[in-house]
Amino acid sequence: MAGTATKLIQKLGNSVKKVSDSRSSSWWYNQHMRAASRAISQRLPLADFVLEVRDARIPVSSEYGNLRYSPSSSRNIIVLNKMDLASHSKTKEWMAYFREQNCIPFAINSHNKDNVKQFLNFLQAKVRDLRRNMQSSNDLPTTVMLVGIPNVGKSAFANSLHQIGRVTAAEKGKLKQATVSPHPGETKDIISLKIVSHPSVYILDTPGILPPEIVDVERSSKLALTGAIDDSLFDQSDLAQYFLSILNLSHEYKKWENIAELDKNENQIMNDHTQDLVVQAVRRALFKEISSFEGNVEDENDMEHLIEAQFATLRKVFNVKSDSLEAANSTVATKVVNLYRTGRLGHYTLDSLPS
């Protein structure tokens, strides 16, 4: 990792460590989170299956700490959610790695109905095997507990299983909904949702829990960039620069080489960064900046100059006008981080496989 990225990792990581050490944020491991952690630990032994939901972009950094020292079990399944935002080839490698560790992994995009149906079929087969091995009645309900850190998509996954499972079972009645939010820590209580009938399978959606402290600054920075930690703890410009350093060291931008230039008369809508037209313009601008850069991205000073040039270009692309350069850069940064987190600026797996 280039020097600029290393500095940003240290800065972001130290921000997390400072807050976790001082407990200066009401969001960080507050009284509610401690109570939820105890409640989850008490219920874990009672669950028939435990689905540990992780972010496919950070398969190790998003590990749920309370399960870290649990022995591998056919009842514990690692669900790599948000696979649509991660590198497809790297997700395959991580799946193979987890199998080598005697773990049971399943990669999923919780917004893809076909993918969710595949998981439901997989889970139902596991339930049938469990009942057969235990020689227990198929009429007994099965409890599946979802656990994980904040913002890995547990509630969206639970809702998808609930909605698709209920439709498959042809059940009537109003569907419950787990709270889904882009902000971490929105689930406050353990919520039970029925996902399968005959035999009945219930899923327990639990609050996202982070450990009381995170010592590893690199892990902290990855959690910050992917949105597992409250954005109010960071300067958005630092997050955007961290992402741009990752982009600049990758080959992802090369996919944008053939994007056409925008027509001049289309610039009036450029302040809405979510529109496809604007996303294409951002990709094209970033490609031009990186491909024409004559410095060495492995050099700290050169990387800083490239990121400064990218911010200047993006201020024009987003049509950001402000009397303050700091305010303009903050606006650009917020848009860049959002585009990264929604997969509009490529697919990246931030964790490296163990050597």
Side-chain angles (χ1 to χ4, degrees), residues 19 22 35 37 40 65 73 95 123 125 141 146 168 175 192 200 246 253 268 272 301 304 307 312 316-317 337 339 342:
V19 171
S22 65
S37 183
I40 292 170
S73 167
M95 292 280 285
L123 183 59
L146 280 183
T168 302
L175 293 173
S192 176
S200 295
I246 293 169
Y253 73 93
Q268 67 269 19
D272 182 359
N301 292 326
E304 287 181 353
I307 292 175
K316 297 176 184 177
V317 172
V337 172
L339 290 177
T342 53

Side-chain angles (χ1 to χ4, degrees), residues 315 319-331:
R315 288 196 297 271
N319 198 24
V320 175
K321 297 176 182 177
S322 175
D323 294 334
S324 163
L325 179 62
E326 183 179 356
N329 281 344
S330 179
T331 300

